[in-house]
Amino acid sequence: MGCGKMEIEDDILRQDIEEIAKISQLTERLRQKTVFVTGATGLIGSQIVLALACMNRVSDAKLRIAAMVRSRQKAERIFGKLLECDDIALYYGDINEPIAYEGNVDYIIHGASATSSRYFVTQPVETILTSIEGAKHILEFAKSKNVESMVYLSSLEVYGTPDGGRQLISETDYGYMDPTSVRSSYSEGKRMVECLCASYAKEYGVPVKMARLSQTFGAGVEYQDSRVFAEFARCAIEKKDIVLHTQGNTVRSYCYTKDSISAILWILLYGGIGEAYNVTNMDTAISIKDMAELVCGTFPEAGIQVKIEIPEDVSAFGYNPEMVIRLDSSKLQALGWNATVDLSDMFRRMVKSMSCATIS
């Protein structure tokens, strides 16, 4: 199986993928299995596909990967010559429609989702319906295939606005969420899908688990990504001041891409059915403003500084309400997983990676 060495021109991404592929606790459990991945051209989905393919080349794992994508052009750009190999099969489809893949499937990772804050506020109906209809279709698919395990990629946004007095947010610490705010379309959608997953686990015995991802970035982030961490990295690369459109008081936790990928696979293989797990590096909690200052200090050669320019209609940017949310990943760590990359190195590795990142 496979077609020889996998070549990734982005050295940082290649190092990350190879490190995941060498984790024996993952490789041995996945040996000779078929993994179906939705959202396979997204940041996380694509790296899951690459890591699984790399396991075949590093450990002869004899894995098969079914990657669900919407765009052939984007898939070819991301995966390149890997698509000539017999261990990866593309399934073209829309998660809003029933899945008609006919092959055997042992594991499912469901990562297809809207990711743009602007999209959440300009197309909130589509955001909600894609979450719920897509989850229904993949859960029905999981049930029909009688899979061994499935992971739904959820988000820290299910916690809403937590009680400000909490130092750490565990998997049972839910805060306030305004259902009349269109920005809640993404957060409420994630909450509802988690309930749907738990319901399929209870009523139909679907072995689904939930990975609540903190903001994830690192190697493989596309240069024009619209999220705040990519904007900060571009400012460092282009030697432009970082301009904030809020006071930047919101505090969040973060996680490096490689660590998130390994965590997702860990939950897939070792998590409890119907259980949710926070995926984060507990040492990274920081305010937006302080993170901007950290980027300026991490790249002193850029000579940039932080400026605050608040527009009249800040709601158009789709930002969440100001909050403090430090995730507790103790439950996931109890399964044997640990984060490995700190916040400064996350930015160093992302900035190096953003300059190339092509696969051949």
Side-chain angles (χ1 to χ4, degrees):
M1 180 181 294
C3 56
K5 184 179 180 181
M6 183 170 68
E7 296 181 0
I8 302 177
E9 292 183 9
D10 179 349
D11 288 339
I12 303 300
L13 179 58
R14 176 182 51 77
Q15 292 168 15
D16 289 348
I17 296 303
E18 290 178 350
E19 286 183 19
I20 298 169
K22 292 175 182 176
I23 301 174
S24 61
Q25 297 99 318
L26 302 177
T27 303
E28 292 309 311
R29 291 285 292 270
L30 290 168
R31 188 171 296 278
Q32 297 185 318
K33 302 295 186 178
T34 298
V35 185
F36 189 93
V37 182
T38 75
T41 56
L43 173 66
I44 293 175
S46 64
Q47 293 195 30
I48 290 172
V49 170
L50 292 175
L52 295 173
C54 194
M55 288 178 184
N56 285 338
R57 289 144 184 83
V58 170
S59 304
D60 191 27
K62 295 182 171 62
L63 266 160
R64 292 189 181 276
I65 306 117
M68 183 173 177
V69 302
R70 288 189 299 171
S71 167
R72 177 184 292 273
Q73 182 179 16
K74 187 173 182 181
E76 290 177 348
R77 176 173 60 81
I78 292 173
F79 300 119
K81 292 183 178 179
L82 277 179
L83 299 181
E84 299 173 8
C85 305
D86 60 6
D87 53 348
I88 297 179
L90 294 183
Y91 171 72
Y92 296 98
D94 187 330
I95 198 64
N96 291 300
E97 300 173 355
I99 299 168
Y101 180 78
E102 295 181 355
N104 175 67
V105 174
D106 299 297
Y107 294 105
I108 294 173
I109 299 170
H110 179 38
S113 176
T115 58
S116 167
S117 294
R118 286 184 183 271
Y119 185 87
F120 304 157
V121 296
T122 58
Q123 296 182 269
V125 173
E126 289 78 8
T127 298
I128 294 169
L129 294 181
T130 295
S131 291
I132 296 174
E133 289 297 317
K136 175 187 175 184
H137 293 143
I138 197 69
L139 286 163
E140 285 291 329
F141 180 66
K143 184 175 72 168
S144 70
K145 295 295 183 181
N146 195 27
V147 298
E148 295 182 32
S149 181
M150 170 183 161
V151 170
Y152 167 60
L153 304 192
S154 188
S155 167
L156 63 80
E157 292 206 20
V158 299
Y159 294 112
T161 304
D163 180 348
R166 291 190 179 277
Q167 288 300 306
L168 289 172
I169 305 299
S170 72
E171 286 78 1
T172 58
D173 297 326
Y174 300 99
Y176 171 75
M177 194 179 296
D178 180 2
T180 68
S181 167
V182 294
R183 179 56 180 80
S184 296
S185 59
Y186 178 76
S187 309
E188 291 279 23
K190 288 291 185 182
R191 274 191 178 182
M192 190 66 248
V193 172
E194 284 202 14
C195 185
L196 192 62
C197 287
S199 300
Y200 265 80
K202 174 69 174 179
E203 188 170 345
Y204 301 120
V206 175
V208 59
K209 303 92 182 264
M210 288 77 78
R212 291 178 180 163
L213 303 177
S214 57
Q215 284 211 327
T216 299
F217 65 88
V221 169
E222 294 191 350
Y223 197 84
Q224 296 302 324
D225 191 300
S226 63
R227 286 168 288 188
V228 67
F229 47 77
E231 182 179 345
F232 288 2
R234 281 195 301 275
C235 287
I237 293 169
E238 298 173 7
K239 297 180 170 56
K240 295 180 179 178
D241 289 340
I242 295 175
V243 179
L244 301 182
H245 299 298
T246 71
Q247 293 297 332
N249 294 325
T250 286
V251 174
R252 291 195 188 96
S253 301
Y254 298 86
C255 197
Y256 186 61
T257 42
K258 179 194 71 173
D259 290 335
S260 287
I261 302 310
S262 66
I264 291 163
L265 294 174
W266 218 279
I267 294 167
L268 179 74
L269 299 172
Y270 297 104
I273 295 173
E275 294 286 324
Y277 297 85
N278 289 337
V279 177
T280 196
N281 182 331
M282 291 173 63
D283 296 327
T284 63
I286 192 171
S287 72
I288 298 296
K289 184 174 187 298
D290 286 346
M291 187 167 72
E293 297 285 2
L294 178 143
V295 171
C296 295
T298 301
F299 302 97
E301 67 279 6
I304 60 176
Q305 59 184 338
V306 179
K307 295 181 178 179
I308 296 177
E309 298 177 3
I310 300 177
E312 290 185 13
D313 183 16
V314 73
S315 64
F317 289 89
Y319 298 141
N320 252 333
E322 185 176 299
M323 69 182 74
V324 175
I325 180 164
R326 299 180 177 91
L327 294 187
D328 184 349
S329 61
S330 299
K331 183 177 178 181
L332 176 56
Q333 290 178 37
L335 298 180
W337 174 89
N338 286 288
T340 63
V341 181
D342 66 24
L343 196 57
S344 292
D345 280 341
M346 287 166 66
F347 274 104
R348 290 189 186 97
R349 296 180 72 80
M350 179 171 62
V351 164
K352 289 180 181 178
S353 170
M354 283 174 72
S355 302
C356 50
T358 57
I359 299 167
S360 61

